[in-house]
């Protein structure tokens, strides 16, 4: 399926993996992905005011439900703020998928 945008492929894969909850604190470059999540439906986005909180809540939700959970952070400082809690989630074997968006050459990307 050449020419399919990455944000579409990500949403399709998340749904295929049964991921329904997204925890995050987005920056402006993630707007395309957030719009796509809303367009697909089936996702509940839990907005937090700080990345550490998003990672902590995603960790708790993933451990309590034993279901894969998406943590969406802004790159740079956002990922830096959440990395400590993400490390603890890894140590606790929480099924978290973390994506961090960044902007390169004026285009939106998800790393």
């Amino acid at each position: 399926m050449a020419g399919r945008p990455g944000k579409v492929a990500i949403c399709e894969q998340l749904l295929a993996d049964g991921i329904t909850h997204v925890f995050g604190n987005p920056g402006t470059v993630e707007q395309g992905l957030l719009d796509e999540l809303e367009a697909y439906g089936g996702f509940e986005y839990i907005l937090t005011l700080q990345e550490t909180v998003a990672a902590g809540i995603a960790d708790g939700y993933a451990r309590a439900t034993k279901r894969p959970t998406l943590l969406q952070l802004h790159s740079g400082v956002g990922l830096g703020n959440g990395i400590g809690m993400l490390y603890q989630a890894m140590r606790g074997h929480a099924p978290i998928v973390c994506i961090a968006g960044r902007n390169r050459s004026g285009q939106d990307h998800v790393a």
Side-chain angles (χ1 to χ4, degrees):
M1 295 187 188
R4 183 173 60 163
K7 61 187 178 182
V8 172
I10 288 172
C11 288
E12 290 172 357
Q13 188 62 56
L14 294 173
L15 288 172
D17 291 335
I19 294 176
T20 58
H21 286 73
V22 182
F23 299 86
N25 180 280
T28 56
V29 299
E30 293 89 357
Q31 188 61 50
L33 175 63
L34 297 179
D35 289 344
E36 199 67 30
L37 288 172
E38 185 176 12
Y40 263 82
F43 295 104
E44 184 174 347
Y45 192 94
I46 293 84
L47 176 66
T48 66
L49 296 178
Q50 211 271 351
E51 297 84 6
T52 304
V53 175
I57 295 171
D59 179 22
Y61 179 84
R63 289 190 203 200
T65 62
K66 296 179 177 44
R67 296 186 55 185
T69 302
L70 182 65
L71 173 61
Q72 179 274 311
L73 302 173
H74 188 64
S75 63
V77 175
L79 183 58
N81 286 341
I83 201 76
M85 289 302 296
L86 194 54
Y87 174 75
Q88 291 302 317
M90 183 217 38
R91 296 225 10 174
H93 305 285
I96 293 178
V97 175
C98 180
I99 59 173
R102 64 185 175 97
N103 189 308
R104 184 178 69 190
S105 302
Q107 298 179 359
D108 292 344
H109 298 276
V110 175

